[in-house]
């Protein structure tokens, strides 16, 4: 469990889809509808294997669209100034 998991953010920044458990910020980062990868249920190994099958059976066009969405999301959401501004908003709201 990690609030804003670095490995997920790094993967998206490199344009790589993510397989992540459905905990913490993962659904927000990965997307609930396979926007940037696939979510699996933490206590369900079959859920993980199903998602592994999905990601490995994608054709090239599907894969390229998915990788593009990952990189675009990272570029739009992980810019330094945007992160600083968001953090400042949190501090000021308290």
């Amino acid at each position: 469990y990690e609030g804003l998991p670095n490995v997920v953010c790094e993967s998206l920044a490199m344009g790589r889809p993510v397989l992540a458990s459905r905990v913490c910020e993962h659904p927000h980062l990965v997307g609930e509808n396979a926007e940037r990868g696939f979510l699996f249920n933490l206590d369900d190994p079959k859920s993980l294997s199903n998602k592994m099958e999905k990601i490995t059976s994608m054709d090239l066009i599907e894969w390229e669209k998915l990788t593009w969405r990952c990189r675009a999301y990272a570029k739009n959401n992980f810019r330094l100034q945007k992160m600083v501004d968001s953090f400042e908003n949190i501090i000021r709201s308290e």
Side-chain angles (χ1 to χ4, degrees), residues 29-93:
L29 294 169
V30 176
E32 288 285 349
N33 298 308
E35 289 99 342
R36 294 168 292 280
F38 297 96
L39 298 168
F40 62 90
N41 298 323
L42 187 61
D43 299 339
D44 184 1
K46 184 133 179 100
S47 174
L48 174 58
S49 65
N50 287 340
K51 302 307 179 184
M52 290 171 71
E53 284 181 17
K54 276 189 172 188
I55 205 164
T56 58
S57 66
M58 297 176 86
D59 65 33
L60 183 59
I61 293 172
E62 291 174 311
W63 177 257
E64 287 183 355
K65 286 179 183 177
L66 185 58
T67 60
W68 184 88
R69 288 193 305 266
C70 293
R71 183 73 177 122
Y73 180 85
K75 285 177 79 171
N76 290 329
N77 292 282
F78 301 153
R79 290 177 293 119
L80 180 59
Q81 192 58 53
K82 182 169 183 164
M83 301 293 275
V84 169
D85 292 344
S86 295
F87 188 69
E88 284 180 353
N89 288 336
I90 290 170
I91 292 171
R92 289 183 181 155
S93 70

